[in-house]
Amino acid sequence: SVSPHITPSLSTSLIMTSSATQDEPLSKRMANPARPVFLLGEVPPGEGTQPGKCLEIASKFAARSRALATDGFIVYDIQDEPDRSDMKRPFPFRRLMDSSKYASLLAKTSNKPCCVYKCVADAQFSDWIDTAVSEHGHSAVNLVGRASSKGEYVGPAISDAMQIVHAKKGLEFGCVCIAERHTLEAAKARGKDYPTEHLNMLRKQKAGAEWFISQAVYDAEPTIRLLKDYAGSCREQGIVPRKVILTFAPVSRQKTMNFIKWLGVRVPEETESQILNAEQPVDESVKLLCNMLKEILQQCSGIGVPLGISCESVSIYKKEIDAVHELFRRLQDILLTSRGTPWVVQWVEVMPPAGVAQKKIRALTNSDDSKNDSQSKDSELTVALLHVFFGAALVTLGTILGSSLNGSRRK
């Protein structure tokens, strides 16, 4: 739902925001079990991309996503992973810009924080963590192990990596959870009677993981089983479950579907056929993913595992990128509505650059050029503070008016 339009006192940039305090670290929002979290995924530009081009890419992404009520962004760390699957990789691998560096640029460009993915298979892992915090200012990283145990391994084991990050002041971490590992078929392939991904989650939680992020969901059943088993094990051990952020990615063509499956995502044959044979495959994909979230919420109601949403496009195909935004809005509506309490999406004013602000302040105050510098600065500061207070009052008024709509929803 959307609050009534609020016209700011000055013409400035606006962004959509959730109900979280804007200056609250993203890591706190992701870890907070009392509220959902909503994220949008992004991939860094290619390695060697010039700074000006990187800024252009980040600015375009920020502009496209400005109207979405996100808490922040996920920036992925893409690895070659030649041993991930026996399938041929549908899209050729290309080396990308460091995820932490690009996430820093995106955060500054968008005024929204980023959760940075990091594969632990890096000989310079500890140095990377130091740089991510001290130079790039990140508070949230998501650790990923290698996709396969084959080949030569460099860097710390996932258990050692978690210890390194857990000891780093000002940094919280989460881990991935993979529902595809939590099927009876996967357990049998590993010589086990029952899948154990929920136990992996418990182990990582005890090592300090504050949240979990799933890979893309295209089959609700393994996710439901994993969430229920995780909840049950937490209850047995007297542990409060961590938030699980479910990832969704729309598909509109066979090549992208092949890539989704190459990544290890389980896609039932009937689901694949229903999407690809539809008149508008990408719309069918969005509809099916929304239904999957509804099923997950219905089946897992009351188990005590807090949830969040992340949306991403796994390709650069325009139809799929555009569909991510529609999917995000619908999934956000579904999750928030399922909580059974009124909710509102509100605008938040972003202050313009200092030079622009000073010109507008001078115009409002009709400042006399003959005033000395000290008086001028005092006047500008006073008006700026009044502007901030007035803007806060408008946001509060908008929230009150939005609540009075009693059930208005943004579709």
Side-chain angles (χ1 to χ4, degrees), residues 21 56 64 107 129 133 139 191 248 250 279 308 316 319-320 410:
T21 303
E56 179 184 337
R64 286 196 306 266
I129 291 296
V133 177
S139 70
F248 297 88
E279 183 176 347
I316 58 173
K319 281 188 176 181
E320 292 166 352
R410 179 183 185 183

Side-chain angles (χ1 to χ4, degrees), residues 100-163:
S100 178
K101 184 176 181 180
Y102 179 67
S104 176
L105 175 63
L106 180 57
K108 293 172 183 175
T109 304
S110 65
N111 199 38
K112 286 193 174 184
C114 296
C115 174
V116 188
Y117 264 57
K118 178 58 181 173
C119 178
V120 302
D122 181 353
Q124 306 301 320
F125 178 81
S126 293
D127 293 338
W128 186 95
I129 291 296
D130 290 339
T131 301
V133 177
S134 61
E135 294 185 22
H136 298 155
H138 298 305
S139 70
V141 297
N142 212 64
L143 299 181
V144 185
R146 292 198 311 165
S148 171
S149 59
K150 301 177 183 178
E152 183 180 355
Y153 186 85
V154 296
I158 187 70
S159 56
D160 295 328
M162 289 190 292
Q163 287 184 354

Side-chain angles (χ1 to χ4, degrees), residues 365-372 376:
T365 57
N366 293 318
S367 60
D368 190 344
D369 292 339
S370 64
K371 293 180 181 179
N372 59 49
S376 179

Side-chain angles (χ1 to χ4, degrees), residues 35-38 243-248 293 306-310 335:
R35 66 178 296 275
V37 68
F38 299 98
K243 186 181 295 176
V244 177
I245 300 165
L246 302 175
T247 302
F248 297 88
L293 177 59
L307 298 176
I309 297 294
S310 172
L335 180 54

Side-chain angles (χ1 to χ4, degrees), residues 231-283:
S233 295
C234 285
R235 188 165 300 179
E236 287 177 359
Q237 299 189 28
I239 297 173
V240 177
R242 295 291 189 252
K243 186 181 295 176
V244 177
I245 300 165
L246 302 175
T247 302
F248 297 88
V251 168
S252 68
R253 54 182 182 156
Q254 185 68 63
K255 192 171 185 179
T256 306
M257 182 64 76
N258 291 343
F259 187 55
I260 285 277
K261 293 191 290 184
W262 181 87
L263 289 170
V265 176
R266 172 175 167 145
V267 185
E269 290 184 9
E270 60 272 21
T271 300
E272 179 176 355
S273 177
Q274 185 174 345
I275 292 172
L276 298 180
N277 292 328
E279 183 176 347
Q280 296 293 335
V282 72
D283 294 340

Side-chain angles (χ1 to χ4, degrees), residues 8-231:
S9 56
L10 293 177
S11 177
T12 60
S13 299
L14 295 171
I15 61 172
M16 298 297 286
T17 182
S18 66
S19 60
T21 303
Q22 282 300 99
D23 57 0
E24 181 183 25
L26 180 59
S27 58
K28 301 302 181 186
R29 304 184 209 178
M30 295 177 71
N32 184 355
R35 66 178 296 275
V37 68
F38 299 98
L39 304 168
L40 201 65
E42 167 70 323
V43 173
E47 186 179 67
T49 302
Q50 295 302 310
K53 185 63 176 178
C54 287
L55 178 59
E56 179 184 337
I57 293 170
S59 298
K60 285 183 177 179
F61 181 84
R64 286 196 306 266
S65 61
R66 185 172 290 123
L68 299 177
T70 61
D71 288 284
F73 305 122
I74 291 176
V75 175
Y76 291 102
D77 180 18
I78 306 300
Q79 302 295 314
D80 189 5
E81 303 177 335
D83 299 318
R84 170 183 278 276
S85 172
D86 294 333
M87 296 173 56
K88 181 180 178 181
R89 185 185 179 115
F91 300 117
F93 172 74
R94 62 188 183 102
R95 295 194 177 279
L96 303 180
M97 180 180 178
D98 175 67
S99 57
S100 178
K101 184 176 181 180
Y102 179 67
S104 176
L105 175 63
L106 180 57
K108 293 172 183 175
T109 304
S110 65
N111 199 38
K112 286 193 174 184
C114 296
C115 174
V116 188
Y117 264 57
K118 178 58 181 173
C119 178
V120 302
D122 181 353
Q124 306 301 320
F125 178 81
S126 293
D127 293 338
W128 186 95
I129 291 296
D130 290 339
T131 301
V133 177
S134 61
E135 294 185 22
H136 298 155
H138 298 305
S139 70
V141 297
N142 212 64
L143 299 181
V144 185
R146 292 198 311 165
S148 171
S149 59
K150 301 177 183 178
E152 183 180 355
Y153 186 85
V154 296
I158 187 70
S159 56
D160 295 328
M162 289 190 292
Q163 287 184 354
I164 293 170
V165 179
H166 192 48
K168 187 69 178 177
K169 187 177 180 181
L171 186 65
E172 304 291 346
F173 76 92
C175 293
V176 297
C177 61
I178 302 177
E180 282 75 7
R181 293 175 181 167
H182 207 68
T183 63
L184 298 178
E185 297 87 348
K188 184 177 179 180
R190 297 185 180 191
K192 300 180 186 257
D193 295 329
Y194 194 79
T196 58
E197 180 67 358
H198 63 303
L199 301 180
N200 291 334
M201 293 172 69
L202 279 175
R203 174 175 56 84
K204 293 172 182 178
Q205 179 176 342
K206 291 176 180 178
E210 295 288 345
W211 62 81
F212 295 97
I213 302 178
S214 79
Q215 65 178 15
V217 176
Y218 260 93
D219 185 3
E221 189 272 332
T223 298
I224 292 168
R225 177 187 286 119
L226 176 58
L227 292 175
K228 287 184 174 181
D229 286 343
Y230 174 56

Side-chain angles (χ1 to χ4, degrees), residues 6-16 66 111 347-361 364 383-384 387-388 390-392 394-395:
I6 301 171
T7 303
S9 56
L10 293 177
S11 177
T12 60
S13 299
L14 295 171
I15 61 172
M16 298 297 286
R66 185 172 290 123
N111 199 38
W347 294 105
V348 169
E349 187 175 17
V350 180
M351 294 297 291
V356 177
Q358 289 175 357
K359 289 179 182 178
K360 291 178 178 177
I361 291 169
L364 286 173
V383 175
H387 177 219
V388 171
F390 183 57
L394 283 174
V395 171

